[in-house]
């Protein structure tokens, strides 16, 4: 267990960058889970992990997150390398943030995770493009070869 993201960052980036696709989980008003496969991007901001999800604001996803902004992302590879990210999601609509997220997807962040958002939206100002800010509070990385797991938790002083 650690509160220093740098302790797991290299492995997190390697696994997320090679796996790319993640299963996102939300819950409805009756606490029933719903999953969907998406590609979030991640960055290190002031020593803390921060995620972004370019997405459509579907009625189901919007209703789930309005009722409970807690979400979970799960990455898994055939070799059993995996990453689990528990985060709080919030919609962000300002153009400056959308431009930043557009660039993170274009550059792939971490390396390998991302894609050309232009395949789905015209530009960062496209009204159909919505962005979720993902603020993790717990991340677990598991190395498949020996099932060694490491957990990062957000420092209580930062919550």
């Amino acid at each position: 267990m650690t509160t220093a993201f740098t302790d797991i960052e290299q492995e997190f980036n390697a696994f997320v960058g090679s796996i790319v696709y993640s299963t996102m989980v939300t819950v409805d008003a009756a606490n029933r889970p719903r999953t969907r496969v998406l590609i979030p991007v991640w960055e290190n901001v002031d020593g803390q992990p921060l995620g972004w999800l370019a997405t459509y604001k579907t009625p189901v996803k919007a209703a789930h997150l309005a009722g409970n902004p807690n979400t979970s992302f799960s990455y898994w590879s055939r070799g059993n390398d995996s990453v689990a990210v528990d985060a709080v999601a919030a919609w962000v609509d300002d153009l400056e943030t959308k431009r930043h997220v557009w660039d993170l997807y274009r550059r792939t962040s971490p390396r390998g995770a991302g894609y050309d958002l232009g395949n789905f939206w015209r530009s960062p100002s496209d009204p159909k493009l919505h962005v979720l800010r993902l603020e993790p509070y717990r991340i677990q990385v598991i190395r498949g070869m020996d099932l060694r797991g490491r957990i990062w938790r957000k420092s209580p002083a930062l919550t």
Side-chain angles (χ1 to χ4, degrees):
M1 185 84 63
T2 183
T3 57
F5 181 61
T6 55
D7 291 346
I8 69 162
E9 185 175 17
Q10 184 176 2
E11 203 164 35
F12 173 86
N13 287 341
F15 291 174
V16 169
S18 67
I19 298 168
V20 181
Y21 290 91
S22 175
T23 302
M24 178 189 187
V25 181
T26 59
V27 295
D28 66 14
N31 290 318
R32 295 174 298 205
R34 169 77 62 96
T35 63
R36 73 273 293 150
V37 176
L38 299 165
I39 302 174
V41 292
W42 303 92
E43 62 182 329
N44 181 326
V45 176
D46 299 326
Q48 300 297 307
L50 182 62
W52 301 99
L53 181 63
T55 189
Y56 292 99
K57 195 172 187 176
T58 64
V60 170
K61 194 183 307 155
H64 286 196
L65 293 173
N68 183 346
N70 290 282
T71 183
S72 186
F73 291 85
S74 179
Y75 296 84
W76 177 82
S77 72
R78 293 186 76 158
N80 287 324
D81 290 337
S82 63
V83 176
V85 180
D86 297 326
V88 176
W91 297 104
V92 180
D93 290 322
D94 68 276
L95 186 55
E96 183 179 333
T97 299
K98 287 183 174 184
R99 284 185 180 128
H100 174 68
V101 170
W102 189 278
D103 185 54
L104 286 174
Y105 272 90
R106 183 179 48 76
R107 288 188 289 128
T108 72
S109 180
R111 185 176 305 258
Y115 59 94
D116 181 1
L117 295 182
N119 292 330
F120 297 92
W121 299 281
R122 292 185 314 268
S123 71
S125 62
D126 187 326
K128 293 181 181 178
L129 169 63
H130 296 278
V131 171
L132 279 171
R133 175 189 169 99
L134 309 171
E135 193 167 325
Y137 54 87
R138 181 185 182 277
I139 297 175
Q140 181 175 17
V141 293
I142 299 176
R143 186 173 62 190
M145 66 176 11
D146 58 8
L147 299 180
R148 185 204 70 211
R150 297 190 298 162
I151 297 173
W152 167 86
R153 286 189 189 269
K154 188 173 188 175
S155 170
L158 299 175
T159 51

